[in-house]
């Protein structure tokens, strides 16, 4: 199926809600999706404005659905690049769904894996300058605590749609030990059948972390 750029993004929002339902049906407690990357800021102003208009409508119009289904919304990314209205809408969505506990849906907005690591390193450097930390005490746990995803488990399964065989800066620290599944299917066309097949296959995988 062919899509115009913004029509594809609109369909993508609907697919996100479907994926949430599939996760709930499979008892999956965490979901992470990429909505807008740091590289996406290089797109045309018209497309960027259209993308954020779609996101604003989602946070405004679909929040009641999330509340009814127990879906907690959290956003990862550099919010300093968002305008005040966008930040406010995101903060309200996070606050209103804070007590939801069936599924935590993490959305990457103005997010990039490398950018996140740079920001985490800056926080770590600030802690060292302030005397709260020494370089010798920097650990993986310390770095993880300074990431956007602090307190959220590492990603254990990645599904990449659209025929591309790369992570594209997607949560590169958190996906270090993830099983990766690739499909030529476009995101709006991704089906529950294919999702279930990937999940069932993942259940047979033994993760030993190099042991």
């Amino acid at each position: 199926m062919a899509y115009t750029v913004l029509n594809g993004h609109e369909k993508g929002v609907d697919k996100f809600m479907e994926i949430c339902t599939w996760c709930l049906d499979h008892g999956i407690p965490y979901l992470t999706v990429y909505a807008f990357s740091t590289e996406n800021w290089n797109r045309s102003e018209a497309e960027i404005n259209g993308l954020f208009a779609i996101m604003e409508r989602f946070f405004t119009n679909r929040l009641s659905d999330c509340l009814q289904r127990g879906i907690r919304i959290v956003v990862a990314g550099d919010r300093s690049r968002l305008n005040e209205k966008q930040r406010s809408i995101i903060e309200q969505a996070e606050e209103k769904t804070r007590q939801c506990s069936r599924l935590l849906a993490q959305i990457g907005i103005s997010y990039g894996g490398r950018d996140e690591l740079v920001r985490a390193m800056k926080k770590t450097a600030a802690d060292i300058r302030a005397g709260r930390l020494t370089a010798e005490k920097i650990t993986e746990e310390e770095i993880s605590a300074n990431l956007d995803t602090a307190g959220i488990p590492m990603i254990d399964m990645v599904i990449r749609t659209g025929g591309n065989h790369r992570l594209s800066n997607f949560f590169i620290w958190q996906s270090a030990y993830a099983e990766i599944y690739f499909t030529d299917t476009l995101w709006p066309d991704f089906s529950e059948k294919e999702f279930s097949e990937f999940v069932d296959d993942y259940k047979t995988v033994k993760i030993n972390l190099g042991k």
Side-chain angles (χ1 to χ4, degrees):
M1 184 180 294
Y3 299 97
T4 64
V5 173
L6 289 181
N7 177 252
H9 294 315
E10 290 273 15
K11 295 292 184 182
V13 170
D14 293 336
K15 184 58 62 177
F16 167 69
M17 294 305 297
E18 286 185 51
I19 291 277
C20 286
T21 299
W22 304 343
C23 286
L24 290 170
D25 290 344
H26 282 270
I28 296 171
Y30 297 95
L31 169 68
T32 299
V33 297
Y34 222 160
F36 189 89
S37 73
T38 49
E39 291 77 17
N40 288 157
W41 288 110
N42 296 320
R43 296 187 179 185
S44 70
E45 184 177 355
E47 184 177 352
I48 291 172
N49 290 339
L51 272 165
F52 276 101
I54 291 169
M55 281 189 258
E56 288 175 15
R57 285 197 294 274
F58 164 76
F59 284 117
T60 302
N61 300 332
R62 306 297 290 272
L63 204 60
S64 59
D65 193 15
C66 292
L67 287 166
Q68 289 173 6
R69 292 199 271 170
I71 301 169
R72 179 182 176 185
I73 299 294
V74 296
V75 172
D78 182 4
R79 301 189 192 191
S80 69
R81 302 188 70 173
L82 307 181
N83 63 40
E84 185 176 350
K85 178 184 178 184
Q86 292 161 350
R87 289 196 297 270
S88 177
I89 289 173
I90 288 171
E91 289 166 5
Q92 288 180 37
E94 290 179 322
E95 182 58 35
K96 289 180 179 178
T97 62
R98 189 174 301 277
Q99 301 305 316
C100 294
S101 59
R102 293 188 66 205
L103 173 68
L104 188 150
Q106 181 172 240
I107 305 172
I109 298 177
S110 188
Y111 176 87
R114 289 185 174 184
D115 177 73
E116 179 187 30
L117 287 172
V118 169
R119 289 185 285 109
M121 293 305 102
K122 288 180 178 178
K123 292 176 185 177
T124 302
D127 286 339
I128 292 174
R129 286 196 301 271
R132 295 186 293 268
L133 181 71
T134 62
E136 293 73 22
K137 291 186 177 180
I138 296 175
T139 62
E140 289 188 13
E141 291 74 21
E142 181 69 32
I143 294 172
S144 292
N146 282 328
L147 297 174
D148 298 340
T149 55
I152 298 174
M154 294 293 104
I155 294 171
D156 51 16
M157 177 182 179
V158 173
I159 298 174
R160 179 65 200 265
T161 59
N164 294 309
H165 290 199
R166 57 179 181 267
L167 283 176
S168 296
N169 213 8
F170 176 85
F171 295 86
I172 50 182
W173 176 279
Q174 298 87 341
S175 300
Y177 287 98
E179 287 291 309
I180 306 176
Y181 296 85
F182 299 104
T183 174
D184 291 335
T185 307
L186 295 175
W187 169 250
D189 297 327
F190 188 59
S191 69
E192 184 176 7
K193 179 178 182 294
E194 197 167 10
F195 176 82
S196 296
E197 288 173 352
F198 286 155
V199 170
D200 288 343
D201 183 76
Y202 175 77
K203 291 177 181 178
T204 69
V205 174
K206 181 179 180 181
I207 307 296
N208 57 22
L209 300 180
K211 297 177 183 178

